[in-house]
Amino acid sequence: MSETVERVDHVDDDLRAWMLSCWVDVTNAGGAVGFVAPVDADDVRPTLDEALAGMAAGTTTTALLRVDGERAGFAFIVGTDNQLFRHWATVLRLQVHPRFQGRGAGRVLLEGVSDLARADGLELLHLTYRDGLGLGRFYEAAGYQEVGRLPGMIRVAPGDDRDSVLMVRKV
């Protein structure tokens, strides 16, 4: 199985439609990528459009995962123009389509994100995740370290509040 991560410089209508479909599928399969299932394209579209606007503004990089040439996942690397914070960026919406999960593709995507960040001269990456899904072990294995948590910050459902966990990694 051949897995690659590439920088996306332009999102055409076809790629945008695929990203939207992937995001819906990942969420509805239980993925913690900004929504709680069930969702449809109308729920996710505004958040995707916001991320793509960041690409147009030059503050967001999109990393696209391919498995055997087929689109399999993506993530956003969000930086800033503020000179105090230009040395680091935030990893957002890291996701692998359910068809490709469980085979190490997520690790490949996360490492590819680090490679792109390093190529851009970044020194640190930051991300947050929704506690309760076992994601901490995944990120720790990729070199991320927990540096804080916001207890009960994410309300998945009434009576089901989760911590938002903050992690960083040197690239």
Side-chain angles (χ1 to χ4, degrees):
M1 183 165 59
S2 168
E3 300 163 324
T4 60
V5 177
E6 61 193 52
R7 178 187 310 271
V8 174
D9 294 319
H10 173 73
V11 175
D12 61 17
D13 290 342
D14 179 59
L15 179 55
R16 182 178 177 279
W18 178 85
M19 292 171 79
L20 185 60
S21 175
C22 179
W23 202 332
V24 168
D25 290 348
V26 168
T27 300
N28 288 334
V33 286
F35 299 92
V36 175
V39 298
D40 61 26
D42 290 335
D43 298 318
V44 176
R45 187 176 291 110
T47 306
L48 175 59
D49 289 345
E50 181 180 325
L52 297 180
M55 277 184 70
T59 58
T60 300
T61 298
T62 299
L64 179 66
L65 170 68
R66 290 186 183 271
V67 174
D68 295 331
E70 187 178 350
R71 296 171 184 149
F74 66 94
F76 300 114
I77 307 166
V78 182
T80 180
D81 288 332
N82 186 315
Q83 66 180 357
L84 297 173
F85 305 114
R86 283 191 205 143
H87 64 289
W88 65 272
T90 302
V91 179
L92 286 177
R93 316 301 186 206
L94 182 97
Q95 55 194 290
V96 173
H97 193 277
R99 289 186 19 240
F100 299 95
Q101 292 177 3
R103 299 186 267 172
R107 283 191 311 271
V108 171
L109 178 55
L110 197 53
E111 194 57 40
V113 163
S114 293
D115 291 344
L116 292 175
R118 190 176 312 107
D120 288 344
L122 296 171
E123 299 171 25
L124 294 167
L125 287 173
H126 148 274
L127 58 80
T128 59
Y129 72 88
R130 180 189 311 166
D131 198 21
L133 299 172
L135 295 171
R137 290 185 302 275
F138 169 73
Y139 290 120
E140 287 171 356
Y144 283 82
Q145 178 180 26
E146 181 177 330
V147 294
R149 80 183 31 237
L150 298 169
M153 187 68 158
I154 302 169
R155 179 154 294 159
V156 177
D160 186 2
D161 294 348
R162 310 281 178 90
D163 292 356
S164 179
V165 182
L166 171 64
M167 300 191 90
V168 297
R169 175 191 169 170
K170 291 184 180 184
V171 295

